[in-house]
Amino acid sequence: MTANPPEHTGRRDLDPHLARYAARTAGMTASEIRALFAVASRPEVVSLAGGMPNLAALPLDSLSSQVGEIIAEDGLFALQYGSAQGVPVLREQICEVMAMEGINAHSDDVVVTVGSQMGLDMVTRLFCDPGDVVLAEGPSYVGALGSFAAYQAKVVHVVMDDQGLVPEALREALAAAQRAGQRVKFLYTIPNFHNPAGVTLAVERRAEILAICRAHGVLVVEDNPYGLLGFDGQTYPALRSLDPDNVVYLGSFSKTFASGLRVGWVLAPHAVREKLVLAAESATLCPPSLNQMIVSRYLATHDWKGQIKTFRENYRERRDAMLSALEQHLPSGCSWTNPDGGFYVWVTVPEGVDTKAMLPRAVTARVAYASGTGFYADGFGSRQMRLSYCYPTPERIKEGVRRLAAVLESEMDLVRTFGNVSMRAIPGPETPSPDTA
């Protein structure tokens, strides 16, 4: 039986395939700021928007030689199809990386993915039916919200403060879902150096949050791409280390090595691992062996812990430049988080200013940021913005904040003169892109 072709009405349809799409594509909303970032990528614009790692400190000469050696020595393996679960030696090395955060894992329970975004997509596909509830911090990572929307899951945001996810708010969200007869499938959380909020879940809250989820029969999905990038060198105990049987852990080499290789992983309870491998086979057949072997060779032959220390120092310098510039230039009434690791500062602007409406004017003033609404599934965030300090130089960061402050001052003058100029909130997440990663 075939689908009926769309009727011809005599007018030219912008998308002649519209009637054929699956219902779940309704949640795939293109980012409204994508066109602006095409302009923001120009060299005269200071972009404080994208979360691109700064790779300038990588030993590129050594890496290029090693890639050639891999091809020469193991090219027949590196360029061939591989296992859907990933190269065994890399999975063993991943266990060594996770041990730095207290995780005791076996390589059999690791599934290598094409970036941790693929892992998040597979976990959502395995657990969520349309209408199921996913709990997530408010705000939350835009890529996660896109995956949840694609599988027609309902996102309920849970309040955070400067110490991360609030346990009592989690209890209230679970109780409200139970009263409404909703099925909560998992809590999605970024406990360390949160994207976009920049805060870290307090150690004393971690066991309590895990106990709450276990008592309600709710899985925990821990997304931890920044965990080794604490500016004081401290690593926090992973949630997975505290409750291995009820936590699915997502990891990535994008922030601690090279984002372009797209190598991440999922560490899952053993039974879940089996289904993840099947999901990986249906999605990509297998992750690229060459990319995995590059990462594996890097881990085996380079001082990767020393390299992470260099990254931390670079990002700490940029964080300090960002915080200093915010303190110096932003107008009264603004507030922001003080991250002790990672890539981001979360800024709240005065009442009446809409950061989404302001963004085109900021780009005109040659500065860009990520507006807060993209990090909520329900249209909130109009008074927030995410500023990323990982990629620009400290000098560019300071200049970008100076330009942003001037735009904010003008916007506040408009509010004082004409009242609230906020745009109408449009619920629903935006499709992620490298600009909002």
Side-chain angles (χ1 to χ4, degrees), residues 176-196:
Q178 186 174 14
R179 289 193 301 270
Q182 298 172 322
R183 295 194 306 173
V184 179
K185 286 299 183 71
F186 57 79
L187 166 69
Y188 170 76
T189 179
I190 306 174
N192 301 319
F193 322 126
H194 188 274
N195 177 8

Side-chain angles (χ1 to χ4, degrees), residues 28-330:
M28 299 171 66
T29 305
S31 170
E32 296 181 19
I33 62 174
R34 186 172 294 164
L36 284 171
F37 282 112
V39 178
S41 64
R42 296 175 181 172
E44 68 270 19
V45 177
V46 178
S47 179
L48 306 175
M52 292 189 301
N54 194 304
L55 305 181
L58 282 175
L60 297 181
D61 290 344
S62 174
L63 289 171
S64 63
S65 298
Q66 291 194 342
V67 172
E69 292 171 4
I70 291 171
I71 298 294
E73 298 168 6
D74 296 301
L76 293 181
F77 177 81
L79 302 178
Q80 183 59 273
Y81 288 125
S83 163
Q85 191 171 353
V87 173
V89 65
L90 177 59
R91 290 191 278 113
E92 293 173 0
Q93 292 167 309
I94 286 170
C95 291
E96 296 173 8
V97 173
M98 292 188 294
M100 296 181 67
E101 295 176 297
I103 295 175
N104 181 18
H106 195 283
S107 60
D108 284 351
D109 293 328
V110 174
V111 180
V112 179
T113 57
V114 184
S116 61
Q117 181 70 31
M118 175 185 168
L120 179 59
D121 187 87
M122 291 195 306
V123 169
T124 310
R125 175 151 59 106
L126 289 182
F127 284 100
C128 289
D129 291 313
D132 284 344
V133 170
V134 172
L135 301 180
E137 293 125 338
S140 191
Y141 168 50
V142 65
L145 300 181
S147 286
F148 304 151
Y151 292 104
Q152 298 170 281
K154 174 181 170 60
V155 176
V156 173
H157 287 296
V158 183
V159 173
M160 287 192 296
D161 60 19
D162 288 342
Q163 299 298 309
L165 189 70
V166 178
E168 189 55 40
L170 177 60
R171 289 190 181 92
E172 293 171 359
L174 287 164
Q178 186 174 14
R179 289 193 301 270
Q182 298 172 322
R183 295 194 306 173
V184 179
K185 286 299 183 71
F186 57 79
L187 166 69
Y188 170 76
T189 179
I190 306 174
N192 301 319
F193 322 126
H194 188 274
N195 177 8
V199 301
T200 294
L201 179 62
V203 172
E204 57 270 20
R205 289 184 180 182
R206 298 188 178 214
E208 182 179 4
I209 285 170
L210 290 168
I212 293 169
C213 289
R214 182 172 280 278
H216 285 82
V218 172
L219 183 72
V220 176
V221 177
E222 177 182 15
D223 194 356
N224 190 35
Y226 310 98
L228 299 181
L229 294 177
F231 297 142
D232 60 1
Q234 179 181 2
T235 55
Y236 295 92
L239 300 179
R240 167 76 189 204
S241 72
L242 304 176
D243 192 355
D245 294 331
N246 198 48
V247 176
V248 173
Y249 178 98
L250 304 176
S252 174
F253 290 106
S254 291
K255 308 302 189 292
T256 57
F257 179 29
S259 54
L261 290 175
R262 308 305 302 130
V263 178
W265 71 90
V266 183
L267 173 65
H270 196 74
V272 177
R273 187 283 312 268
E274 291 295 323
K275 288 185 170 53
L276 282 171
V277 172
L278 295 174
E281 287 176 340
S282 70
T284 63
L285 191 60
C286 60
S289 297
L290 175 60
N291 293 21
Q292 295 177 74
M293 292 176 70
I294 292 172
V295 175
S296 179
R297 182 72 67 93
Y298 169 78
L299 294 173
T301 62
H302 286 78
D303 178 14
W304 59 270
K305 293 180 182 178
Q307 185 65 58
I308 289 174
K309 182 176 183 291
T310 298
F311 284 143
R312 288 200 306 259
E313 292 169 352
N314 288 345
Y315 295 140
R316 181 176 60 230
E317 180 186 20
R318 286 161 168 77
R319 186 278 313 264
D320 291 346
M322 173 73 77
L323 294 180
S324 175
L326 292 174
E327 185 68 37
Q328 180 179 356
H329 295 295
L330 252 57

